[in-house]
Amino acid sequence: MSREGKSNAMSIGDIVNSSGPPDATDYDLDATIPPVGLRASLTSYGDPHFSLFLRKAFIKALGYSSDSLSRAIVGMSNTYSGFNPCHGNVPQLMEAVKRGVLLEGGLGVDFPTITLHESFASPTSMLYRNLMSMDTEEAVKGLPADAWVGIGGPMLTGTHPSTGNRVGACTDCRSNWAAYRAGSMDVEDIASLNDELAPSIGTCGVMGTASTMALLIATLGLMPLHAATPAAVSSARLRVSEETGRIAARMAKEKGPSPQELLTYSSFHNAIVVLQAIGGSTNAIVHLLAIANRHPSLSPRMTLQTIDSIGKQVPLLVDLKPSGASYMTDLHSSGGLPLLLHRLKPLLHLSAQTVTGQTLGEAIDAHRIPKFSDSQSVIRSLSNPLYPSSSLMVLTGNLCPKGAVIKASASLDRRLLDHCGRACVFENAEDLAKRIDDPQLDVSADSVLVLKNIGPIGFPGMPEAGLLPIPRKLSRQGIKDMLRISDGRMSGTAGGTVILHVSPEAALPNSVFGVVESGDLIEVNAAKGTIELFVDGREIAERIQRRIGKGEDTRRGRERGYRGLYQRNVNQADEGCDLEFLVPE
């Protein structure tokens, strides 16, 4: 994306095309230095010409010529890490981006930023999302880059060593682990399967959070439509990277459009339509809310109710795990996002602008749309959906006055979407780990498993622990799904009847969810969008007052460093789990 900037008396083109050496104007002490390219975001020494002189002296240590330093600069956030296999080929992709930037007459420069992998971030990557955001945003603002590029892509699929079926991270990780817990897989099978679940570099190869966000980012207009689905290790991903470099370099020279200009209510509307049509990750709801709430002028504001109301009009069209049966490689070969958007046209705001300079409607029409039938593609037509509407639902009630979410299309037992049962409560993740497989646990298949204190403040960071395991004594009876409720998150790759993001979370003193007790009756009616705790209002109030009287630790203000900053400032899931000081007034 291009950085915002005011119009200048001199542009990149003026600098490159000026008479004399490429940097001759840099030594004119009476001239105003245009804040473009290397000349942007100068260090403050009180003498801008000296600041530029010193910067050029140091950067030339890397072998740059004066000509190259006169070009528009495209920054690339380098998220490569030996602890992050999802981004294992970022260096190769960055070279392709640099090639595209060079073809448009610009200069591509990478810079490091925080890199996160869910399996290598304790206690959870979500704790560090806002830190990563701040680090990257401040780098983009503080470094002399005119545009910025982020990089990624999904992995390939492997082969089940016993059945020969395709497998991929991480829906198949979870379903096979559940089978192992239930005793239907032996240790040799599960160990050999471990070698096949992530057979290549890249993000999860199903409709996980990374794949969901890639599709939404493209729909928001922030990258080319066909860039969302190519595999990380494919030649198509390299070509997309080169094309992205060219687009970024053009934007750098033309000074726009900026993200704020592209992100409108219409673009968010389109992203929500796609989120529902793909059966996307529930994590995307939190991320979209955070993005929207940081926009200083978005109108009308986006809320959980916006997502819910749009979802009621949108069927599930994409047959990918965990809501369906296929993988990201299938989605790409079936026509990818361009075909999906073509089929969703009646539901989209086609006038929304995109990074290519086209409207969304023009960008869709610019692609050759394959004439696949529903049997030939994992992308269904509007007349033959996989699920009628509201793949992702918002629930409200006395248990969660500010809302909770459920991916109804990923339920393994649809009867549980309209269910009433007794709560089996775990106070925190430690309590869950200690008691879930206790043979004496008072639980049945009709029970509602409740996990408290894994919200943004309570854990902290809101880990992906919302997919509570089925108690082993039940899973060995063949039970594969139960109604589960928590104030935490769930991986986009996971399936089951799981209610998440309960707000207000249990760690807050006045939270009704925080005083749920084992044996309480809970009723969920997804079709009506309701979730109710059948406990007398006076009893609930007394429980809350007893809790406040005990002075129970809400875990705010007890930590130092970033964790303390996070706990003192993070808002609730219905607002995006952002830090309050990052949200504009």
Side-chain angles (χ1 to χ4, degrees), residues 506-533:
L508 296 177
N510 291 313
S511 168
V512 174
F513 187 63
V515 297
V516 177
E517 298 178 357
S518 289
D520 289 346
L521 199 62
I522 297 175
E523 183 181 63
V524 170
N525 189 316
K528 294 181 179 178
T530 60
I531 176 171
E532 295 292 336
L533 175 67

Side-chain angles (χ1 to χ4, degrees), residues 104-126:
E104 285 293 322
L107 177 65
V109 181
D110 64 279
F111 61 91
T113 189
I114 292 174
T115 181
L116 296 177
H117 187 289
E118 183 62 48
S119 296
F120 290 93
S122 179
T124 175
S125 66
M126 185 65 178

